Amino acid sequence: MTVLPIRKSPDLIGVLDLQGGVHEHLEHLDRLEIPSRRVKDASDFTGLAGLILPGGESTCLARLITIFGLKDVILQHYRLGMKIWGTCAGAILLAEKVLGENSCLGLIDIEIERNGFGSQLDSFVAESMIPAVSGEILPLTFIRAPKILKTGKEVNVLLRIDDYIAAAENDGVLVTVFHPELTGSVAFHRYFSEKCGLTPQSEAAVISDWGMLSWMKHARIAS
Ligand code: GLN
């Protein structure tokens, strides 16, 4: 009798760990009890149902993706079914068109404008209902964010504000120009986990001990 090896279905979400806000995403996934892993090289892609491209600096991230030879690896795993979520700089990496610049992965038919609101000083917080994602009003944190200017036919707009689009998706890709990982809500991490076919174990919608912005405490300098 031949015993076939049991192939475990992908059950992890990876966070690309080359530059940018990685641990905040990992912490949100932990809160939902979704198994996660930092992704630095090709071997880290085994078992990934989804990959998060974090916020940071998109030119720097695009360069590092090339230097570490990860572009083809990401594209290959995407074609095999791995879902991808880009937050802010991550959304820029996923866009088919970047105003005035070359695109990197080009996996979602959107046109995006880097630094669409101005400089770092024009960063802001807001809140909005996003019915597809949650029944609660969600906090939104924009940090030198891009603006999505246009979307193609097969792209579903999740949030439009004034003259721009702030969140959108197609079958395989989710993009948000804001940072859910820097808020006390885990709604987007739950939404992405479910898009990846994973079931969060925790019912939590908001982080009860969020209080002071927990991502700021990491930046505090010891006196
Ligand atoms: N402004 C950055 C860029 O263009 C993105 C900022 C962010 O990820 N918070 O890459």
Side-chain angles (χ1 to χ4, degrees):
M1 189 176 79
T2 331
V3 180
L4 294 170
I6 299 169
R7 192 176 287 169
K8 222 171 135 233
S9 55
D11 61 356
L12 285 163
I13 294 186
V15 183
L16 189 71
D17 185 13
L18 301 179
Q19 189 262 333
V22 176
H23 77 255
E24 294 84 354
H25 277 296
L26 294 168
E27 281 183 1
H28 268 42
L29 293 168
D30 274 357
R31 289 182 174 109
L32 292 174
E33 296 174 43
I34 292 287
S36 62
R37 159 192 305 152
R38 290 174 184 265
V39 172
K40 281 180 184 288
D41 58 45
S43 64
D44 296 328
F45 282 76
T46 310
L48 292 194
L51 176 69
I52 297 177
L53 307 181
E57 185 58 43
S58 55
T59 43
C60 174
L61 276 163
R63 237 174 263 168
L64 290 171
I65 286 174
T66 308
I67 291 169
F68 286 88
L70 291 182
K71 187 167 172 175
D72 286 343
V73 185
I74 295 173
L75 295 176
Q76 250 167 33
H77 283 265
Y78 173 74
R79 277 184 220 114
L80 292 172
M82 181 187 76
K83 310 289 182 186
I84 311 184
W85 173 19
T87 50
C88 202
I92 298 168
L93 298 175
L94 288 163
E96 274 186 20
K97 286 197 202 112
V98 183
L99 205 69
E101 295 184 27
N102 294 329
S103 70
C104 178
L105 298 165
L107 291 178
I108 183 163
D109 186 4
I110 58 173
E111 181 176 333
I112 201 161
E113 179 187 15
R114 292 186 62 207
N115 306 327
F117 299 88
S119 76
Q120 194 79 4
L121 292 176
D122 300 301
S123 300
F124 61 98
V125 291
E127 50 182 29
S128 181
M129 276 303 287
I130 310 179
V133 174
S134 171
E136 309 283 322
I137 291 177
L138 298 178
L140 310 171
T141 299
F142 294 74
I143 303 177
R144 201 149 63 90
K147 278 183 178 177
I148 299 171
L149 306 174
K150 280 184 210 156
T151 56
K153 265 194 241 114
E154 77 289 5
V155 174
N156 181 24
V157 172
L158 297 172
L159 177 63
R160 188 186 293 275
I161 308 174
D162 303 329
D163 63 339
Y164 64 95
I165 291 152
E169 68 178 345
N170 63 19
D171 279 351
V173 171
L174 171 65
V175 282
T176 55
V177 303
F178 47 84
H179 291 266
E181 78 285 10
L182 301 183
T183 73
S185 165
V186 287
F188 262 95
H189 291 76
R190 176 185 302 283
Y191 184 71
F192 182 61
S193 302
E194 285 165 359
K195 189 176 176 80
C196 296
L198 305 178
T199 311
Q201 293 306 306
S202 159
E203 291 296 313
V206 289
I207 300 161
S208 53
D209 62 350
W210 188 254
M212 187 192 127
L213 294 174
S214 87
W215 54 278
M216 288 177 87
K217 78 181 176 235
H218 297 292
R220 229 192 278 151
I221 297 162
S223 52

